[in-house]
Structure formats: structure tokens, C-alpha cells
Amino acid sequence: MVSGHLFHCRKQSWPPEEYVSRITLQLLESDNAAPPRQAWRRRLNSHANILKEFSVTFMEALKMMSLGVRLWSYVREEASYGRKAPIDPFTRESCKPSASQGVPLGGMGSGSISRGFRGEFRHWQITPGLCETSPMMTNQFSIFISRDGGTKKYSSVLAPGQHEGIGTASDCGISSWGWNLSGQHSTYHALFPRAWTIYDGEPDPELKVSCRQISPFIPHNYRESSLPASVFVYTLVNTGKERAKVSLLFTWANSVGGSSHLSGNHVNEPFVTDEDNPPVTFAIAACPTQNVDVTVLPCFGLSEQSCVTAKDMWEIMVQEGQFERINNTVGPSVPSAPGETLCAAVSASTWVEPHAKCTVAFALAWTSPKVKFKKGKTYYRQYTKFYGTSDNAAVRIVDDALMNYQWWEEEIDKWQGPILNDERLPEWYKFTLFNELYFLVAGGTVLTDGKPPDIDEKLSTKCNMEKCRKKSNKDFTVTMSADDGSVSVNAKVDGISATRNGSEGERMGINQQSKANRDVNNIARTDEPVEDDDVGKFLYLEGVEYIMWCTYDVHFYASFALLDLFPKIELNIQRDFAKAVLSEDKRKVKFLAEGNWGIRKVKAAVPHDLGTHDPWHEMNAYNIHDTSRWKDLNPKFVLQVYRDFAATGDIAFAVEVWPAVCAAMEYMQQFDRDGDGLIENDGFPDQTYDAWTVHGISSYCGCLWLAALQAAAAMAERLDHKTFAEKYRIQFRKAKEVFEGQLWNGSYFNYDSGTSSNSKSIQADQLAGQWYTFASGLPSLFDDSKIKNALQKIFEFNVMKVKGGRMGAVNGMLPNGKVDETCMQSREIWTGVTYAVAATMLHAGMEHQGFAAAEGIFTSGWSEEGFGYWFQTPEGWTVDGHYRSLMYMRPLAIWAMQWALSPPKAILDAPKFNIMERDYSSLFSLRSTTGTVKKKVVKSKWSGNSVFHCECSCGPKVVFAPVVEHVVLPSPDRQNEDPLWLMQEVDGCHYH
């Protein structure tokens, strides 16, 4: 844990006074309107530079040429079926990545929309696995101000005019609006899940404006954190001598990003579209009060042919500051022509007296209750348990958001306050810790209700070729509703929805669906909300460019965030993988690295991922290598399971996953070729560094294996399986001696035991197993002197010899102080690995080195002098700052640093034992005085009957934890042989 006098590293500070005048901060102090003391900050006129993507060297290209040809062929094959390949380095987005991201909107798993720091809505991920990166520039907040007497008038979109997506010619579209904000006196302040934009006298020098963006991301609150909603609270302070009429405008286009707004046939009343597209509904709302008047414009367009153009709409607001109330009762619009965009607007107007303050609240919600994957299965999102599946759910969510946002903020303050107020922590760390959590919203996350899926038989058996090749036709409807003065705009895909307005305070709704959809809904669920304790099933992508769900070798690093903040979700992910360990999928797959064939999923091998187009049912979407031969996945499973068990104390969880732990450990024995207790690598990149070849014993996989042996022994002991505990302890002692003898060179562990040119490289991640040992409260694998010597070597070479420590830890460094350029990955700096190394240093009491290493990631990725990777932290970058794979999962490992600083009480209080001692004393008693087990066996949901039958003559006996039945443990070249039997001995009796 943190010592009282922590840091010798340089402390940086970004006080709000450097960005906002002190007077303005004082005026905004109350009601959370002022930005926090610790936050990531930018001026709105900051340049959003185009990001630089990595490139391979000539020699790397030659080595990967065959892989590239096979990958290209596979990408084209998937495209012919209407699917996107999980890894596609050939297709480029039309919108080039830029340093423009900000805090995303909404909760976890509900489909996300990101918002740039300059105010644009972008990076739409409503449909699982698809990301529309282009900003929808019609979606804006704008302000209109007029002073008493009408002599002073101001109007502007609240975003800088120098922006991509805005035309330059005078027309009837959004370029006709007043893009008058320079951004020179306007600033953005981010502390996920909130963000503040302060307009310090722009556009009116006598009006101070604060916009506070709030999303319901509340640790341990699984209901609120699943909601697809955000609130925007505007605080207006009039410093002038005249009262001011201020009108705020929220405009929204009928679109889910990309070019979907141009497909034509959009109307703002019922419209039937392609049944294959799950419904999507948007709602925007403003909250009326005694001083705030809300009006709407149900429909306007961006072309001259529109009945009301964007230019007309803007002129109405400039002249009147509001819309006509008759708009609440208008009927359907004329369907839009192809290429035309339909939009809607909500306005909130108020008078602000001299030296007075006023608050105006807007909200945005979107619902897409169905999650449909390409191979036919459809699930319902978690929030449908609370709001049902009808089209007006978005209206109810937006209403609740406006009612509850103040409570959201109270809960967020309680969570963040202790860390933000800890004076021992560097400022950059505090806000980067929270801001890296953006990925749990914007990382393509899906949170289902945990129920079984609906299945489209046509797609689940075999894709209809024409149907798969046909482009999805996304058509939208827009409806307006008014209830007690609050206004919503709904945009919908698929099915029928109609909502018409009555007088204020009256609303009549009609909800219809096509017969096919209605029949499915009647079978699947009712519209009535249901609440229970099931937190649902969670998916998140490896990255927005690597479309694989819950990639496990990367989750190993990222999982600390979920375990700390949403432990029930983390345990469910481990349950999914435990079930997967015991499953088998014999369908043939071509592995692209070598062009060889194998089966998709080998029993007892931990899968690389939960799939792409049919998650949970078609795993291992990754097909570069045969991951059943990887050496890190199974140990990582055992380590994560034990850590989660130790941290939560959830005995039922431990009992449920124990069979998979046994199977995973037994499976790895085949890779101990010489019987010395230690696994060996097989001369190809058989671990998470999937371009970096390993020969023989490796520091990375070998250390993970040592840690897994210790974790398995500890778990067996705690579950009262003494025979297993003894077995793993004996193997640990043998393996440790070999590991140290083969790899320790006096100052660090060599990369591997081979004879290649990089076998003595200094790998930043060489102590990954020791990191988890620390984090789980287990005894250290090695002497403290060896651990600290290795970490110091990594710090001096991998960190400090690269740009003076301002970039993070390079993966590989040669003993001569030069970067290891053996392959693309050895010369990269991986953000999540650097955080993990920093966490290991903190555990080892090396606070200065740990924070200095991690600060390099902040400096290069998040600081103003860096490369612009905020809220899109990539997997890694090269020493010249070129990125690979933006918006990546692994950087969530910064929460491993917080875990090291403040470990859970369960970890601190766990009984201690020595893995090197022959006889264990039970960590806690699971048995009664008669020797029988008190706790009932929990029946596994996935392995049939978990009660075991004794084969000896001592009579029936119930054991505390189930064991694996009929586990197949084939080596890669013996996959067709008969399965092996995994036998377990408990107190002298054998069970199977």
C-alpha cells in the first residue's frame, strides 16, 4: 500500500484557474457547475491532429507476407457472407482518427455514443461490433441571447466553427447556422463519467455558461449503470446589468451515425422497415420549470426542398428564441427523399436577471432492446428488465434521467472522493485512473438480461447467401411527444411506433410491430419490467479494431477494473469461461499464420475469446494461431479465478468453477516435455505476444505457470482438496528450481532459454505471474531481491532508455540498451502492460519507479504535448508515437495500480501459508466435527450433476467441490484420440 511520503517523481498539476478565470469559477461553485480540481482539460480551440498509425518494416512485411495473403482471403470470404472479419487491417474508415475524443455517453452495455471534447457526437456503437466514427454535426447544442431593449444579441452553436463535417458554402444546411464560437475562452474538463464545458464569456461576454455532462456509471449499482442515457445540465450566470433572455437549443438528426441519415423514406410518424434490424429509439428532452419554457420543432431538413430547412429553423430561434406551441400537435411529415436528412429540435428558454443564476437540464436516451448477432441469435439488453421492450421505453428512461441525475452525482462523488482527495497520489494519476474507464462504455460493450437467446433458424443453421450479401437497410421514423411540458424526439429502426401529441400534459401512444416481430416478443418476454438479482451477461471487445468479445489474454490485464467496481459482472465472465473450458467444438478452422487446419475449440483449453458473430456459442473467433497450443491462457484462467475468489470470498463461485480449474491445470501438463514440472514454449508466438516467437522456457509463460501452480494449490487447500494441493505444491517446487536455474542471470530473467539473438532480452512483462501473486495475497514466487532487481532493470532499461521515461515501458530491450527489434511487438510500448508493470512495482514497494513508468503512458497518450490518444487509448505505440489498435481493452490495467495501492480487505485478511512447506494447515475449516461437509454442493449450471459417487466401500460421501467429468485433454497432434479421465482423490477416495 501507499507509504506516507510517496513520490520522488515529478508532480504535475493542472489547476482549473489556468483554464478558467477565478471569478467565473467562484460564480459556478455551487451545484457542481464548476469543474473539479482534478480533471483532464483542453481548450475548445485546441487542434485535433490526425493520429499516426503504425507501419511494419520491410523485413516484418516479408515475414508476414503469407499470413497477409491468407488474412486478405479470409476478410473477403467473411464479407461475402455479410460479416466483418474479427481482424481486418485492410479496410480503412472514411473518417481518419483524430485527437478529438471526450467522455462517452451512457452506461455499460447499452450501446454507446461518444462525444468529442469540442462538443460533437461521434463514434456510434449502437449495433454490436460496428462503430460509425464520423461525427453527426447536426447534433448540437446552441445558444441564443438577447438583452433587454434588443440592442445586444448573440447566437452561436456551442462548438468551434473550425471543424470537420461542416460545409463552407452558404446553403440551407448546418453551414448556415452561426458557428461563431472561437473556443479561445471555452474549455473542456473531463472526469469520467462526467464532463464540464465552460464558456467563459463566449459568445456573450457578460454570460458565463457551464454545461455538465452526466452519465449513470455508478460502481456496484448494476441497474442504473446499464441505462442508455445522459443528462446535460446548463448553468447560466448573468454578470451584466441587464436581464437576458437565454434560449438553449438541442438539435438531433434521424441517424445512428455514418450515412444512415441519407437512406431516404424517413418520416416522423410510423414507418415499417426491414425486420432484420433491431429497433432503435432516440429521445431528447428538456425539463420545464417555473422559469424555463420548453418548445419543439418536430421536423426540419438540411436541403432546400425541406418544408422547414435548417436555415429556417435557425432564423426562427434568432428572432423568437423559441418555436410555436402548435408544433406539439402536427401530424406526419412527408417521407424524405434519398440523400435528405430529417432532424428535430428542442428549445428551452429562460430569463436570467442581472447577477443571477439559472439552471436548464436536457437529457438524451436511446433504446435498442434487442442485440442481434450476425449468426442469428438475439438477446435482450439488461435495462429491458426495468423498462420493458416497448418503443416508449426511451421516453421513460429520459424522464427518469432528469429526475435522478442529482442522485447519480451524489453516488459518483462518494465513489471518487476518497481517491481525488488523497494528497499522496499524483494528480495525473487521479484523473487518468477514472478516465481510462471510458472503455467500459465505449468499448462496444453489451450487457444482456442473462436469459437464453431467441434464434433465427435461417441464420443459425446456415446463412442464406443472398440475405447475408444484401446490405442492411436502416430506415428511421421520428416521433414527437410532449408530457407535462417535457419534450422528446424519437428515432426508430424496424417495427412500427406511433406517438401523437395531445394538449400539454396529455399523451396518447400507439405501439405496433409487424406480426413476425410481435410473435417473437410474445414468446420471448412481455413488456412488463421485471427486476431480479441477475446482473446479466457482459461482453466487451478486445478493441474497436479487433472485434472479438472478452478476449481472455487481454482481460487478464483489464479485469481489475471490473473486479473492483462491478465484481458480479467479473464473476459472470469467469463463469462463462469456466463453462467454455469444459466444452468442445470440433468444427474445422484454418489457422492463418501457418495455413494449417485444426478444430475450433479443444476441451480443457481456455478459449482466446467468446466469439464474434455468435458469442458464447461459437468461441475462438481469433484464427491467426491455434490458441489451444498457447501457454498463457490456461494459467491466466487459474490466476484470475483464484484472485476473484480471494477478493470476493464467494465460496459458491469457487465450487462452481473448480472443475474447470482442474481441467485447465491438467491440460497444461502435456507442455511439460521433460517432466521437470515447468512448461515449455514451442518455437512460435504461443502467447498474448502473438508475433513474438518464444523458444523453450520463457520468462512470461513460465512465471505465469509458477503462479498458477501456487494459486491452484491455494484454491485446492481452501476447498479442502488436500491431494490436489499437495500435487501442485510439489510441482511448484520442482518448476521453480528449473525456472530460476534456466533464466535468472543475476539481474533479471532472460526472455527465454533458447539460443536466438533475443533470448537474453529484457521483457517488461517477465514478472506477470508475480504481479498476480501479489494481487491475490499469495506468497512471492521469488526472493524479494530477485523481484526488485528485475523490476529495477526493467525500469532502467525498458522505461528510462526510451525518451527519458516519457513513453512507458517498451516490451523488449536488449542488454546493450537498444530496443529489441526482433518483431513488431518487441519494439512496441504496450499501454496496459506498462500499467501492469507499474502495479507490480507498487506491490514491491517501488513507488517512485511504478508511478514514473505509468506517467510515461499519461505523457505520451493523454497530455497536451503527447500524441492525442485520450479516450481512445491504443494497445500500444512505437517509440515515434505511431499507434496500433485504438480504443483497446488492456489499458484498463491502470486499475491494477489502484488495486496495489488499496487492496480489498479480503485480500489483506486472507490466511497466510507457505507454498514451500510440505504440510498445509487448513486456511479455514469447511468441515463439521464429524468430518462431513457443512455446505451443500452447488449444482453447476453447465456440467450436469455435480455430486460425486465414491467407488470405494466406505459408503456414500459428499465432497465440497465437484470435479470434472469426462474431460478431454488431447495434445494438439492427438485430438482425435479417446478422452482421458480426470480422477480426483479426496481423503483417500476416488471420484470421477
Side-chain angles (χ1 to χ4, degrees), residues 231-254:
V231 176
F232 307 88
V233 181
Y234 280 84
T235 301
L236 312 170
V237 181
N238 184 4
T239 62
K241 297 180 180 179
E242 305 163 318
R243 72 173 186 155
K245 182 181 181 182
V246 181
S247 297
L248 290 162
L249 176 71
F250 191 9
T251 51
W252 197 261
N254 195 344

Side-chain angles (χ1 to χ4, degrees), residues 945-957:
N945 195 336
S946 297
V947 178
F948 301 93
H949 304 285
C950 180
E951 295 178 335
C952 69
S953 59
C954 64
K957 192 174 190 179

Side-chain angles (χ1 to χ4, degrees), residues 187 420 543 842:
T187 53
L420 296 176
L842 293 178

Side-chain angles (χ1 to χ4, degrees), residues 506-734:
E506 177 186 353
R507 179 176 65 217
M508 178 170 63
I510 303 171
N511 294 282
Q512 301 174 339
Q513 291 184 313
S514 65
K515 184 179 186 300
N517 283 348
R518 184 170 62 249
D519 290 345
V520 168
N521 281 348
N522 286 341
I523 295 172
R525 70 170 54 216
T526 66
D527 184 43
E528 294 300 319
V530 177
E531 299 194 35
D532 57 39
D533 293 330
D534 186 358
V535 300
K537 293 170 77 70
F538 184 75
L539 297 170
Y540 64 151
L541 293 174
E542 179 178 336
V544 295
E545 298 176 31
Y546 295 165
I547 310 171
M548 294 165 283
W549 299 112
C550 296
T551 300
Y552 200 70
D553 56 307
V554 184
H555 180 69
F556 175 75
Y557 297 83
S559 57
F560 284 87
L562 284 172
L563 181 58
D564 200 359
L565 306 177
F566 298 96
K568 292 180 181 179
I569 286 178
E570 163 63 12
L571 294 187
N572 277 357
I573 291 175
Q574 300 301 344
R575 289 185 178 101
D576 288 338
F577 276 91
K579 178 180 179 181
V581 167
L582 302 181
S583 70
E584 184 176 37
D585 186 342
K586 292 185 176 180
R587 285 176 287 182
K588 293 292 184 179
V589 174
K590 184 177 184 179
F591 300 114
L592 304 180
E594 300 295 333
N596 58 314
W597 289 80
I599 69 172
R600 178 174 291 277
K601 169 65 178 67
V602 175
K603 188 173 286 188
V606 174
H608 172 274
D609 55 78
L610 291 178
T612 293
H613 300 303
D614 191 7
W616 297 297
H617 300 279
E618 186 179 273
M619 291 165 286
N620 281 333
Y622 176 91
N623 60 348
I624 304 298
H625 297 290
D626 180 358
T627 59
S628 71
R629 297 176 60 197
W630 277 19
K631 310 307 183 295
D632 63 335
L633 289 170
N634 282 39
K636 285 176 176 176
F637 171 71
V638 176
L639 288 170
Q640 289 182 74
V641 162
Y642 180 77
R643 178 206 56 188
D644 295 357
F645 167 44
T648 63
D650 191 331
I651 295 292
F653 165 76
V655 170
E656 186 176 357
V657 301
W658 174 247
V661 170
C662 294
M665 291 297 293
E666 194 66 23
Y667 181 85
M668 293 301 294
Q669 301 299 333
Q670 64 181 301
F671 301 120
D672 177 11
R673 314 290 188 191
D674 52 12
D676 61 1
L678 194 61
I679 60 172
E680 290 89 35
N681 293 83
D682 283 332
F684 76 101
D686 50 357
Q687 24 77 42
T688 192
Y689 299 90
D690 58 351
W692 199 357
T693 299
V694 197
H695 299 275
I697 299 168
S698 73
S699 58
Y700 182 68
C701 295
C703 189
L704 289 171
W705 177 241
L706 289 179
L709 286 168
Q710 181 172 240
M715 191 169 183
E717 184 72 17
R718 294 183 70 167
L719 295 181
D720 209 21
H721 290 303
K722 297 184 182 298
T723 303
F724 270 84
E726 177 72 5
K727 172 185 175 182
Y728 297 138
R729 191 186 78 250
I730 292 172
Q731 188 170 0
F732 171 84
R733 289 207 309 266
K734 289 175 57 180

Side-chain angles (χ1 to χ4, degrees), residues 77-84 372-377 456-470 587 613-614 618:
E77 179 184 359
E78 285 295 286
S80 71
Y81 289 102
R83 300 190 296 260
K84 191 171 182 178
K372 186 170 184 178
F373 293 99
K374 282 291 186 179
K375 291 197 173 179
K377 291 186 178 66
D456 184 330
E457 295 296 339
K458 294 179 183 178
L459 290 179
S460 62
T461 54
K462 191 165 183 174
C463 281
N464 179 298
M465 297 291 272
E466 287 191 11
K467 188 174 185 180
C468 289
R469 286 194 173 113
K470 187 166 71 174
R587 285 176 287 182
H613 300 303
D614 191 7
E618 186 179 273

Side-chain angles (χ1 to χ4, degrees), residues 486-506:
S486 69
V487 182
S488 66
V489 181
N490 302 324
K492 176 181 178 307
V493 183
D494 191 15
I496 303 172
S497 174
T499 305
R500 52 177 296 185
N501 296 298
S503 59
E504 185 170 312
E506 177 186 353

Side-chain angles (χ1 to χ4, degrees), residues 171-247:
D171 57 25
C172 295
I174 62 173
S175 60
S176 64
W177 295 356
W179 298 88
N180 302 318
L181 198 77
S182 71
Q184 182 178 357
H185 302 292
S186 300
T187 53
Y188 181 84
H189 311 256
L191 187 66
F192 180 90
R194 291 182 290 183
W196 291 254
T197 306
I198 308 299
Y199 306 92
D200 195 358
E202 284 191 280
D204 182 349
E206 296 180 327
L207 187 72
K208 312 298 183 182
V209 181
S210 167
C211 173
R212 191 165 80 256
Q213 172 188 310
I214 311 151
S215 292
F217 186 96
I218 304 169
H220 307 285
N221 188 322
Y222 296 88
R223 172 182 170 142
E224 298 297 309
S225 297
S226 73
L227 298 184
S230 284
V231 176
F232 307 88
V233 181
Y234 280 84
T235 301
L236 312 170
V237 181
N238 184 4
T239 62
K241 297 180 180 179
E242 305 163 318
R243 72 173 186 155
K245 182 181 181 182
V246 181
S247 297

